[in-house]
């Protein structure tokens, strides 16, 4: 395993359309997944998409810490491959997001509140799951990475964009609707 370099905003790999994964069980993809797990643990985020480590494949990993989970129970680290997202309602909600490719900053981003995720896991087994809350937000953020979209491209109001250290000092309440 290896800790991989993380691409930062401005690198063209983050703007590319990533390619579908055709052989999930290949040594190349399995090694990539293992390296991404190690990279995420080292970097300390909640999600990491393959383009962020210069691998233009349609896959990401994520987890939800218990403190951020709707149910209070953590969602353990998992792999999501070839994801397709369908919004289950038109409702959107603002929430704070950061990105390992945009270090030190966070912003309020509107996302669908309820989505259906259809994808494959690391064994190539297809699954469909309905998601809400912070987990739905993470999955939308990571799927955006596979389509060359970074969270600033989704922002509706740039007042809710700042450095983590300043936003920690001066907490900024979010409006219900933007
Ligand atoms: Ni990100």
């Amino acid at each position: 395993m290896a800790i991989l370099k993380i691409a930062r905003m401005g690198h063209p790999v983050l703007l590319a359309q990533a390619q579908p994964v055709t052989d999930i069980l290949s040594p190349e993809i399995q090694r990539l997944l293992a390296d991404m797990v190690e990279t995420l643990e080292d970097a300390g985020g909640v999600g990491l998409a393959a383009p962020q480590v210069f691998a233009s494949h349609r896959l990401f990993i994520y987890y939800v810490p218990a403190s951020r989970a709707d149910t209070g129970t953590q969602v353990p680290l998992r792999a999501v491959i070839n994801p397709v997202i369908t919004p289950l309602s038109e409702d959107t909600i603002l929430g704070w997001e950061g990105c390992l490719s945009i270090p030190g900053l966070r912003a309020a981003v509107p996302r669908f509140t309820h989505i259906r995720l259809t994808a494959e896991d690391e064994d190539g087994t297809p699954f469909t799951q309905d998601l809400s809350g912070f987990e739905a937000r993470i999955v939308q953020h990571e799927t955006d990475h596979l389509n060359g979209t970074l969270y600033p491209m989704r922002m509706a109001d740039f007042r809710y964009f700042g450095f983590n250290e300043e936003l920690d000092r001066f907490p900024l309440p979010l409006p219900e609707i933007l």
Side-chain angles (χ1 to χ4, degrees):
M1 298 222 293
I3 294 172
L4 305 172
K5 183 180 178 184
I6 296 176
R8 289 188 303 170
M9 184 167 63
H11 194 289
V13 72
L14 296 172
L15 299 177
Q17 188 76 13
Q19 296 303 306
V21 182
T22 53
D23 189 359
I24 292 171
L25 298 178
S26 69
E28 181 201 3
I29 294 297
Q30 292 294 315
R31 189 180 318 116
L32 174 62
L33 285 167
D35 287 347
M36 286 173 63
V37 168
E38 196 174 6
T39 302
L40 183 62
E41 283 171 356
D42 176 70
V46 293
L48 183 66
Q52 292 183 274
V53 292
F54 303 87
S56 204
H57 300 295
R58 301 191 74 77
L59 66 85
F60 61 84
I61 59 172
Y62 78 95
Y63 80 105
V64 186
S67 59
R68 303 297 304 270
D70 285 356
T71 57
T73 308
Q74 70 154 346
V75 177
L77 188 68
R78 69 190 303 210
V80 176
I81 300 162
N82 298 322
V84 175
I85 286 178
T86 310
L88 295 177
S89 98
E90 291 183 1
D91 295 343
T92 59
I93 188 169
L94 274 182
W96 292 103
E97 294 183 21
C99 181
L100 292 171
S101 295
I102 311 172
L105 293 161
R106 67 174 177 256
V109 182
R111 299 286 185 187
F112 291 111
T113 56
H114 294 82
I115 60 168
R116 177 160 296 158
L117 169 65
T118 299
E120 293 159 272
D121 68 13
E122 68 273 19
D123 300 320
T125 306
F127 67 89
T128 296
Q129 204 177 346
D130 292 352
L131 302 174
S132 60
F134 189 55
E135 186 171 14
R137 174 172 299 279
I138 296 171
V139 166
Q140 289 171 84
H141 175 118
E142 300 305 334
T143 301
D144 266 356
H145 274 299
L146 310 183
N147 297 318
T149 299
L150 300 170
Y151 76 73
M153 303 174 194
R154 297 282 190 195
M155 289 178 57
D157 186 335
F158 280 83
R159 287 178 297 179
Y160 299 95
F161 190 25
F163 289 94
N164 288 325
E165 288 166 3
E166 302 303 336
L167 290 166
D168 288 343
R169 287 171 67 205
F170 307 105
L172 190 56
L174 292 182
E176 292 275 316
I177 299 169
L178 198 63

